[in-house]
PDB file of all heavy atoms in Angstrom:
ATOM      1  N   ILE A  48     -23.793 -43.467 -13.400  1.00 91.00           N
ATOM      2  CA  ILE A  48     -23.051 -44.660 -13.792  1.00 91.00           C
ATOM      3  C   ILE A  48     -22.611 -44.578 -15.250  1.00 91.00           C
ATOM      4  O   ILE A  48     -21.443 -44.846 -15.584  1.00 91.00           O
ATOM      5  CB  ILE A  48     -23.911 -45.922 -13.557  1.00 91.00           C
ATOM      6  CG1 ILE A  48     -24.179 -46.092 -12.069  1.00 91.00           C
ATOM      7  CG2 ILE A  48     -23.217 -47.165 -14.118  1.00 91.00           C
ATOM      8  CD1 ILE A  48     -25.227 -47.133 -11.744  1.00 91.00           C
ATOM      9  N   VAL A 119     -15.590 -45.536   3.707  1.00 94.00           N
ATOM     10  CA  VAL A 119     -14.438 -45.590   2.803  1.00 94.00           C
ATOM     11  C   VAL A 119     -14.306 -44.282   2.023  1.00 94.00           C
ATOM     12  O   VAL A 119     -13.190 -43.781   1.815  1.00 94.00           O
ATOM     13  CB  VAL A 119     -14.567 -46.782   1.832  1.00 94.00           C
ATOM     14  CG1 VAL A 119     -13.453 -46.763   0.798  1.00 94.00           C
ATOM     15  CG2 VAL A 119     -14.538 -48.099   2.597  1.00 94.00           C
ATOM     16  N   ASN A 130      -3.533 -35.538   3.451  1.00 88.00           N
ATOM     17  CA  ASN A 130      -2.259 -36.164   3.099  1.00 88.00           C
ATOM     18  C   ASN A 130      -2.190 -36.416   1.593  1.00 88.00           C
ATOM     19  O   ASN A 130      -2.094 -37.560   1.140  1.00 88.00           O
ATOM     20  CB  ASN A 130      -2.110 -37.480   3.860  1.00 88.00           C
ATOM     21  CG  ASN A 130      -0.659 -37.922   3.982  1.00 88.00           C
ATOM     22  OD1 ASN A 130       0.221 -37.391   3.293  1.00 88.00           O
ATOM     23  ND2 ASN A 130      -0.403 -38.889   4.835  1.00 88.00           N
ATOM     24  N   SER A 164     -30.681 -65.980  12.739  1.00 89.00           N
ATOM     25  CA  SER A 164     -31.357 -65.662  14.006  1.00 89.00           C
ATOM     26  C   SER A 164     -32.865 -65.787  13.859  1.00 89.00           C
ATOM     27  O   SER A 164     -33.550 -66.313  14.758  1.00 89.00           O
ATOM     28  CB  SER A 164     -30.989 -64.244  14.450  1.00 89.00           C
ATOM     29  OG  SER A 164     -29.591 -64.110  14.624  1.00 89.00           O
ATOM     30  N   ILE A 248     -22.982 -33.882   3.260  1.00 81.00           N
ATOM     31  CA  ILE A 248     -24.445 -33.742   3.228  1.00 81.00           C
ATOM     32  C   ILE A 248     -25.104 -35.114   3.184  1.00 81.00           C
ATOM     33  O   ILE A 248     -26.068 -35.386   3.913  1.00 81.00           O
ATOM     34  CB  ILE A 248     -24.874 -32.890   2.014  1.00 81.00           C
ATOM     35  CG1 ILE A 248     -24.382 -31.454   2.174  1.00 81.00           C
ATOM     36  CG2 ILE A 248     -26.392 -32.908   1.858  1.00 81.00           C
ATOM     37  CD1 ILE A 248     -24.588 -30.595   0.941  1.00 81.00           C
TER      38      ILE A 248
END
Side-chain angles (χ1 to χ4, degrees):
I48 295 169
V119 174
N130 202 346
S164 301
I248 294 172

